[in-house]
Amino acid sequence: GAGVSQSPSNKVTEKGKDVELRCDPISGHTALYWYRQSLGQGLEFLIYFQGNSAPDKSGLPSDRFSAERTGGSVSTLTIQRTQQEDSAVYLCASSYPMNTEAFFGQGTRLTVV
Amino acid sequence: QKEVEQNSGPLSVPEGAIASLNCTYSDRGSQSFFWYRQYSGKSPELIMFIYSNGDKEDGRFTAQLNKASQYVSLLIRDSQPSDSATYLCAVPQGGKLIFGQGTELSVKP
């Protein structure tokens, strides 16, 4: 596609439910990033995939968070047993190999009620 | 010390003035530096990148890099109200793209 695509755009879920957020990167981009942005805050790094290398999961806030990237393309971020503090905008970005420009999707706004 | 630091602002400048946004980073091995603009409720949008020491100009925007001082800045000339946004500095460190907290810029008509 022309840009990074994320779905859904908005997600409202009940506390304790699991959610899956999807990111479809720009074709040919080997690097994929997930960030979280709470209201009025900066971008919090979550996880980074680069090609077939093991992902850098150092930013995941708890073991309730996981992500995978199938076939080096689409990525899914899963949050298990959601909590109210998980409410935020989840942003995905992709780029050619690291140190090059990254482009963002429109984000998924997650609200846990 | 945070990996990438910016003054949170808000920075307020009158229309037509020069806005100066600053960023410092901790990893001396960093090779590339990016400036993003984020309008309220929108995703970050890449506006400038710089790899070499010195200045890089693109229209009304100039990025300045000083690797010895671990400092990168963004100048916006002839600021317009439409430039009002949060500006994020980003630096790849250890393979990850690390963002500063962003500086909120307000351009007053």
Side-chain angles (χ1 to χ4, degrees):
Chain A
V4 179
S5 179
Q6 291 187 246
S7 61
S9 297
N10 285 282
K11 176 72 176 178
V12 180
T13 190
E14 292 181 351
K15 178 181 173 181
K17 300 280 190 181
D18 297 352
V19 295
E20 286 189 350
L21 312 179
R22 176 188 168 104
C23 173
D24 197 345
I26 292 172
S27 178
H29 279 189
T30 56
L32 187 148
Y33 306 83
W34 282 99
Y35 294 88
R36 178 169 71 175
Q37 189 172 36
S38 300
L39 189 62
Q41 302 298 308
L43 272 68
E44 176 188 6
F45 168 79
L46 297 178
I47 188 169
Y48 163 64
F49 296 89
Q50 172 55 53
N52 295 321
S53 301
D56 181 339
K57 304 179 181 180
S58 60
L60 294 178
S62 77
D63 59 7
R64 296 187 295 104
F65 288 73
S66 62
E68 63 177 19
R69 187 178 186 190
T70 54
S73 182
V74 172
S75 177
T76 301
L77 177 69
T78 301
I79 308 173
Q80 295 178 312
R81 304 180 303 281
T82 52
Q83 304 295 312
Q84 288 186 327
E85 60 263 29
D86 299 334
S87 296
V89 175
Y90 289 81
L91 290 160
C92 175
S94 71
S95 73
Y96 289 113
M98 64 179 182
N99 294 331
T100 63
E101 309 93 276
F103 297 90
F104 281 85
Q106 80 279 17
T108 294
R109 181 176 299 278
L110 176 66
T111 303
V112 182
V113 297
Chain B
Q1 181 188 4
K2 290 183 181 177
E3 294 171 292
V4 181
E5 289 202 61
Q6 297 179 253
N7 291 329
S8 60
L11 173 65
S12 183
V13 301
E15 184 174 356
I18 295 175
S20 177
L21 305 159
N22 305 315
C23 174
T24 58
Y25 59 94
S26 60
D27 185 353
R28 284 194 169 275
S30 296
Q31 297 295 317
S32 53
F33 307 86
F34 305 95
W35 281 101
Y36 287 80
R37 177 176 61 200
Q38 187 175 27
Y39 292 115
S40 181
K42 301 294 186 182
S43 296
E45 168 193 16
L46 180 70
I47 54 172
M48 287 284 288
F49 59 89
I50 186 167
Y51 300 130
S52 303
N53 271 333
D55 295 359
K56 178 182 178 182
E57 186 174 318
D58 184 1
R60 295 186 296 111
F61 298 95
T62 299
Q64 298 176 318
L65 174 61
N66 184 326
K67 289 186 179 181
S69 300
Q70 296 174 245
Y71 177 95
V72 58
S73 65
L74 179 70
L75 301 179
I76 306 174
R77 291 183 301 281
D78 188 23
S79 295
Q80 301 297 308
S82 59
D83 295 327
S84 298
T86 296
Y87 290 80
L88 300 159
C89 171
V91 183
Q93 296 189 359
K96 300 177 291 193
L97 189 59
I98 303 299
F99 284 81
Q101 285 297 102
T103 298
E104 182 182 352
L105 173 67
S106 177
V107 181
K108 303 296 186 184

